[in-house]
Amino acid sequence: MAHDLNRRDTFKAALLPLIATQPAATPATAQSGGRLVVSLSRSGNTRVLAGALSRRFDAPLFELRPRDRWPEDYEEMVAWDSRMREQGNNVPLAEDLPNIAAYDTVFLCHPIWGMDLPAVIASFLQSHDLSGKTVIPIITHGGYGAGEAVATAQMLAPAARFTDPFVLECNQERADLASLNQWLGENL
Ligand SMILES: Cc1cc2nc3c(=O)[nH]c(=O)nc-3n(C[C@H](O)[C@H](O)[C@H](O)COP(=O)(O)O)c2cc1C
């Protein structure tokens, strides 16, 4: 079961030492062994994990970005993502990945947005063929867990083989901003 806690924790325990001990300077163009790291990150939490995986496995890192900039304001961003999901996850990407066929394993690194898969990741899965590939979800969230993300990704890439996800709680933009605003209210 994808959300089985024990298997998830085992995978997490296996992965964390790899992330913590890797040097920072392997070129992304080195031999990948068929591995690819795909990453979406707004506030940087997921980017840290994606970069570590890329260096650990000498795997190219493909950072997903929408063609049109997303809002800087957090609440507008939440509304933007839900609107994109309601509209069928058709977010034009800044770049498509031309050679997805060259990889057999994809680390799919993303945050949780709206308790689900971000519309940008859903758009990537809809526009790239992951049939027959092993997909390893690497998920960060702000305290509410992975939600429906794995189930949604499996639905959008039904012919891919998904492993149990690595799921990590990270800081949350909303909470960071609330703390900042409280401090501003008290001090300035
Ligand atoms: C638009 C938006 C929606 C979010 N929705 C959730 C959510 O539903 N549940 C949750 O636990 N965290 C939520 N978060 C927090 C992020 O999942 C969490 O901070 C994540 O680690 C951010 O990753 P990043 O720094 O790579 O962007 C949301 C963040 C954003 C920007």
Side-chain angles (χ1 to χ4, degrees), residues 40-47 74 77-78 81 111-115 140-145 170-173:
L40 173 71
S41 186
R42 173 176 154 93
S43 56
N45 298 336
T46 315
R47 188 175 294 116
Y74 177 80
M77 180 64 208
V78 171
D81 177 63
I112 295 298
W113 288 352
M115 295 310 292
T140 73
H141 64 90
Y144 299 96
C170 293
N171 64 309
Q172 192 183 142
E173 203 175 326

Side-chain angles (χ1 to χ4, degrees), residues 62-67 91-98 124 127-128:
F62 182 63
E63 184 145 1
L64 288 172
R65 289 177 299 121
R67 184 193 62 199
V91 183
L93 302 176
E95 297 161 279
D96 284 324
L97 186 67
F124 168 78
S127 56
H128 294 75

Side-chain angles (χ1 to χ4, degrees), residues 118-146:
V120 179
I121 291 283
S123 298
F124 168 78
L125 293 178
Q126 285 177 167
S127 56
H128 294 75
D129 184 9
L130 272 70
S131 302
K133 300 184 192 308
T134 298
V135 176
I136 305 175
I138 304 290
I139 298 173
T140 73
H141 64 90
Y144 299 96

Side-chain angles (χ1 to χ4, degrees), residues 103-115:
Y103 306 100
D104 52 32
T105 300
V106 177
F107 289 98
L108 189 64
C109 310
H110 65 83
I112 295 298
W113 288 352
M115 295 310 292

